[in-house]
Amino acid sequence: MIRPSRHMPVLVLMLIAALALGACGGSTATSSPGSGATAAPGATSAPDASQGTDATEAPAESTAAGGIDLGSAAASLDNLDNYSFKIAMSSAGASEGMMGLIKAGGSITMAGTVVLKPAEAADVVMTLSDGTTSTDIGYRIIGDTAYTSFGDTWMSTPADDAQSTIDSFKPDKMLGGYSSLEGLNKVGDEDKNGIATEHYASTADPGAGASGVFGLPGATWQSDVWIAKDGKYVVSAVMVATGKTAAGDAGSFTIAVDVTAVNSPDVKIEAPKDVMELPS
């Protein structure tokens, strides 16, 4: 069981974000504290979602074979009014990666809803699991007011800390390290998460020492990315590294990103009803 403390969110995410963003990036909530958002987080099983988008800025195409710039496609999410997302990192067999933060069979997940227009707000839950037990840490931001939860207990928290945590795990940050991923060749046109997309795939190593960070030096990679036809933003991305640990054990590491409920008209994020005030 992970024992939370008042400073746990910032400390945990400083380490996780530094590792994930330095190599490339990723997080599936087993449970979540009560949410004021009506739009449900995304899932890799392609749930139905709104397709509407007012985004007009398309990412610049790269010169690499395959022709998309994944970093720009992720950044295009900022053109939306709102969306739900789910980012999951999970390990199978590889127990040495991520400095032991994700043990074999464990996972880290970030899932929730982000509102960008007309006023910024967010309702997100991070779940840390060792494969047996899990701990939920919730973050809710409304303007310049923020709250953090451990289980069902909400407390006021510095808005900058909460925003920094959410920003570190948003899809544009988690996928930013894949901007130079080569060989993203078009597979075809597909519906993904209820959105019309173009599917791209690559078996290239993302570089930046990713395999070593994930505890699988020399791993082989399979990356699949779905880009919305309208708005050119990332709808889904799955990167799987398969190989052996330094000890010779077989293992894999998976990063999955899903965006759903794009520009939903029903999103409403409210402050939690019962908030515990921390001593100054």
Side-chain angles (χ1 to χ4, degrees):
M1 178 69 179
I2 301 170
R3 300 291 182 183
S5 69
R6 176 180 176 184
H7 300 292
M8 181 177 176
V10 177
L11 295 177
V12 168
L13 278 147
M14 281 177 64
L15 183 54
I16 293 171
L19 289 170
L21 298 181
C24 336
S27 277
T28 297
T30 57
S31 61
S32 65
S35 170
T38 56
T44 56
S45 57
D48 291 335
S50 170
Q51 298 187 55
T53 174
D54 295 325
T56 57
E57 298 181 20
E61 290 192 350
S62 71
T63 56
I68 67 164
D69 181 338
L70 182 53
S72 294
S76 291
L77 289 167
D78 285 343
N79 297 327
L80 303 174
D81 292 346
N82 60 70
Y83 60 89
S84 291
F85 75 94
K86 177 179 176 181
I87 298 176
M89 294 185 289
S90 60
S91 174
S95 60
E96 302 170 7
M98 298 291 284
M99 291 179 63
L101 283 172
I102 303 181
K103 300 292 185 181
S107 64
I108 297 176
T109 298
M110 200 75 158
T113 300
V114 172
V115 176
L116 299 168
K117 303 171 187 175
E120 293 189 5
D123 188 13
V124 176
V125 175
M126 179 174 71
T127 300
L128 309 176
S129 173
D130 61 8
T132 303
T133 60
S134 63
T135 296
D136 290 339
I137 306 173
Y139 300 89
R140 195 174 297 178
I141 300 176
I142 304 169
D144 58 359
T145 303
Y147 310 90
T148 301
S149 71
F150 297 107
D152 295 326
T153 302
W154 284 95
M155 62 196 77
S156 297
T157 192
D160 289 347
D161 287 350
Q163 188 66 60
S164 177
T165 295
I166 292 172
D167 286 347
S168 294
F169 272 86
K170 284 170 61 178
D172 60 323
K173 296 294 191 298
M174 300 307 294
L175 294 174
Y178 285 99
S179 297
S180 60
L181 180 61
E182 298 179 351
L184 276 169
N185 296 303
K186 186 172 180 179
V187 176
D189 295 338
E190 300 177 11
D191 278 354
K192 185 68 172 177
N193 295 349
I195 300 171
T197 71
E198 295 177 339
H199 178 191
Y200 295 84
S202 172
T203 57
D205 189 315
S211 297
V213 170
F214 298 145
L216 298 167
T220 58
W221 285 80
Q222 174 64 48
S223 300
D224 288 271
V225 181
W226 290 262
I227 308 295
K229 289 185 175 182
D230 182 9
K232 303 299 182 182
Y233 54 87
V234 171
V235 172
S236 183
V238 180
M239 290 82 170
V240 181
T242 305
K244 292 187 176 181
T245 67
D249 300 321
S252 64
F253 201 99
T254 301
I255 302 170
V257 176
D258 279 285
V259 172
T260 61
V262 170
N263 290 346
S264 171
D266 301 320
V267 172
K268 186 177 182 181
I269 296 177
E270 299 177 334
K273 293 181 179 179
D274 298 315
V275 179
M276 180 178 71
E277 295 297 330
L278 294 175
S280 57

